[in-house]
Amino acid sequence: SGGVLGVILLSLQFIEPEQLYRVLANQNNIGRIGSELQFDFETKLPEQLARRIGAIIIHRYPNRYLVAVNEPLNDEQKLELERVLQSPIEQVLASNREMELFWTEVYGNEMLDESTSKLAVEQPHNSASVTFTKQQLASVAACIALVAAGVVWNAKVTLISIVVIVQLFYFLMTAFKFLIVLYGSKSGAQYRFTPEDLEQLDERELPIYTILVPMYKESEIIPNLIANLNRLDYPKSKLDIRLLIEQDDFEAQARLKNMNLPPYYTVLVVPDSLPKTKPKACNFGLIRARGHYVVIYDAEDKPDPDQLKKVHLTFQACPSNTACVQAKLNYFNSEQNLLTRWFTQEYSMWFELLLPGIMRLDIPIPLGGTSNHFKTEVLKQLNAWDPYNVTEDADLGIRLYKEGYKTAIVDSRTWEEANSRFGNWIRQRSRWIKGYMQTWLVHMRKPVRLAQALGI
């Protein structure tokens, strides 16, 4: 499968991390972390430097600093640290999981700030932290005043005009959707691969793959989640699975602590702050993601075992400016009641015909909330997800297109559980509509500039 022998042995759980890192420390003639941990926040390394080099100060002695590393530093990196600290350093080797704990302990505030405010600070025009601008509020007030004046002038003509405009809009959208379906039903509208294509794939060429799983108050389905992720047909030594747990979700934290998860799993506790949203948790997990690709799965998701390999083949078959591959979603409880049947019909139309048609027409694709696979570096360049937008997936699809990146659809499914209760459906659909309104308002702040970026 390719890779480093020690990591492969770890992923197969043939050895324990302590055994491996003790041997690696001896081979490299450096120490292994012990119990002397004393995080000195006044003398910690600048976060960007620590991230670039992969080192964290874990103890301060009178004559040197104890620095935890995941891989031994080269001479140039060591000299740079000693120059910044103006003191000698002593390296000690730490496992991936230990480094993640240290990182959250020392740089948790910086990571939280990056997760919540980086997009709003660097790209305020793309952030929903402010939903309505003054110009938009003025436009809404002007429209209301215009309608009120029309009603006063001639109520019948005004109301008929509004109804005609609405009907015309719906007619044009229906015709447009029919055109999209025609394109989506053509061959080549989505990327398909045969079992023979997968068999010919050389696993040594596969990159590291990060999987982000945000969850909140869903501890009862964690065993199913682990089972579904373990079914993935991908070298386990090349997986970087990050379970994102909220700070006040004590039940999930306790349950995961008692599970003997393989070393390629990392449990990250997201600090409690506003906004308390799924995209903020995903941003937090993305900061130290090790994968060349990254994908989001929800806790109840059951992806096809070969999905990651199909996505890799899709990226290879696509132009270089393809930054995202969307897998298709559908429901495993479609026969539960009438509502779940309707949900299944809707998702089948959306992911089997509409999204492939949108891809063929080369217009922005509103991504699904899960199973969207990204090139990690591109996602980080775009400042990832907007934590203030409740449909961060649709918003990201627009931002990808604005920056010149494309999205492809792959013929691989992820199975979800459809809402079977009317109240839950109303709340979910209300959130979706709210998020789509947020997205429209954010990107319509400069309509002329948007038309230039997206087309009419």
Side-chain angles (χ1 to χ4, degrees), residues 317-361:
C318 287
S320 60
N321 66 338
T322 301
C324 177
V325 173
Q326 174 70 61
K328 298 186 291 189
L329 309 179
N330 222 311
Y331 296 115
F332 56 74
N333 62 327
S334 59
E335 297 297 323
Q336 185 173 344
N337 59 27
L338 184 60
L339 192 60
T340 62
R341 290 188 179 93
W342 283 342
F343 262 120
T344 303
Q345 187 275 336
E346 179 187 42
Y347 260 35
S348 296
M349 175 67 75
W350 185 257
F351 287 99
E352 300 289 346
L353 292 173
L354 282 171
L355 286 192
I358 290 174
M359 184 186 80
R360 286 291 297 268
L361 287 171

Side-chain angles (χ1 to χ4, degrees), residues 63-198:
N63 61 342
R64 70 190 189 283
Y65 287 96
L66 198 63
V67 177
V69 295
N70 188 232
E71 294 180 357
L73 303 179
N74 58 40
D75 292 340
E76 183 179 340
Q77 292 171 327
K78 185 177 179 181
L79 287 174
E80 183 177 2
L81 284 187
E82 291 179 340
R83 186 168 59 251
V84 170
L85 295 171
Q86 297 182 336
S87 176
I89 67 168
E90 178 186 348
Q91 300 179 61
V92 287
L93 201 62
S95 67
N96 286 334
R97 191 170 290 177
E98 290 163 344
M99 287 296 287
E100 293 291 349
L101 291 173
F102 298 160
W103 208 272
T104 304
E105 177 73 25
V106 178
Y107 298 107
N109 291 335
E110 288 89 339
M111 294 171 68
L112 185 60
D113 183 63
E114 182 174 339
S115 304
T116 55
S117 61
K118 188 176 182 182
L119 179 68
V121 170
E122 296 184 5
Q123 301 177 25
H125 58 285
N126 280 330
S127 172
S129 56
V130 176
T131 304
F132 291 96
T133 63
K134 292 180 179 179
Q135 294 89 339
Q136 288 174 329
L137 290 173
S139 299
V140 170
C143 290
I144 293 173
L146 185 63
V147 171
V151 170
V152 172
W153 168 69
N154 190 320
K156 184 177 181 179
V157 171
T158 300
L159 295 176
I160 288 176
S161 299
I162 293 173
V163 170
V164 169
I165 291 171
V166 171
Q167 295 285 10
L168 181 62
F169 173 79
Y170 270 95
F171 172 76
L172 292 175
M173 282 304 302
T174 301
F176 184 47
K177 282 186 176 181
F178 182 69
L179 176 66
I180 292 174
V181 168
L182 286 179
Y183 274 86
S185 61
K186 293 181 180 180
S187 60
Q190 51 188 287
Y191 286 86
R192 303 179 186 274
F193 300 97
T194 65
E196 290 73 23
D197 295 327
L198 297 175

Side-chain angles (χ1 to χ4, degrees), residues 207-210 234 291-295 312 315-316 374-376:
I208 295 175
Y209 220 118
T210 292
Y234 203 85
H292 180 72
Y293 304 132
V294 59
V295 60
H312 174 68
F315 274 121
Q316 288 188 319
F374 301 93
K375 291 178 178 176
T376 306

Side-chain angles (χ1 to χ4, degrees), residues 3 5 11 15 38 60 80 111 138 197-198 210 212 216 269 286 288 296 368 373 391 409 419 430:
L5 177 61
S11 69
I15 57 174
Q38 182 186 352
R60 182 180 183 180
E80 183 177 2
M111 294 171 68
D197 295 327
L198 297 175
T210 292
L212 302 178
Y216 184 59
V269 178
L286 179 68
R288 285 182 46 78
I296 297 178
H373 304 249
T391 52
I409 309 297
N419 271 324
S430 299

Side-chain angles (χ1 to χ4, degrees), residues 181-326:
V181 168
L182 286 179
Y183 274 86
S185 61
K186 293 181 180 180
S187 60
Q190 51 188 287
Y191 286 86
R192 303 179 186 274
F193 300 97
T194 65
E196 290 73 23
D197 295 327
L198 297 175
E199 288 177 5
Q200 294 173 6
L201 184 62
D202 187 350
E203 290 194 347
R204 290 172 294 182
E205 298 176 359
L206 293 175
I208 295 175
Y209 220 118
T210 292
I211 299 174
L212 302 178
V213 188
M215 66 181 83
Y216 184 59
K217 305 294 185 181
E218 298 176 282
S219 59
E220 71 281 355
I221 61 175
I222 287 177
N224 286 338
L225 166 68
I226 303 301
N228 291 334
L229 293 177
N230 287 340
R231 289 174 61 249
L232 290 171
D233 179 21
Y234 203 85
K236 297 299 185 281
S237 61
K238 297 183 178 183
L239 289 178
D240 172 32
I241 301 177
R242 295 170 172 261
L243 307 180
L244 310 175
I245 313 298
E246 294 291 337
Q247 192 171 24
D248 61 348
D249 192 353
F250 303 111
E251 187 176 347
Q253 293 177 43
R255 186 157 197 169
L256 287 166
K257 190 174 183 179
N258 293 326
M259 298 178 71
N260 184 27
L261 293 175
Y264 50 87
Y265 281 87
T266 300
V267 178
L268 289 177
V269 178
V270 182
D272 195 20
S273 72
L274 294 176
K276 194 170 184 176
T277 57
K278 172 183 172 181
K280 185 198 77 173
C282 290
N283 287 342
F284 192 86
L286 179 68
I287 291 174
R288 285 182 46 78
R290 297 184 291 111
H292 180 72
Y293 304 132
V294 59
V295 60
I296 297 178
Y297 289 131
D298 288 336
E300 78 275 10
D301 284 356
K302 185 179 180 181
D304 285 345
D306 57 8
Q307 186 172 116
L308 303 187
K309 288 184 176 180
K310 284 185 175 180
V311 170
H312 174 68
L313 290 174
T314 302
F315 274 121
Q316 288 188 319
C318 287
S320 60
N321 66 338
T322 301
C324 177
V325 173
Q326 174 70 61

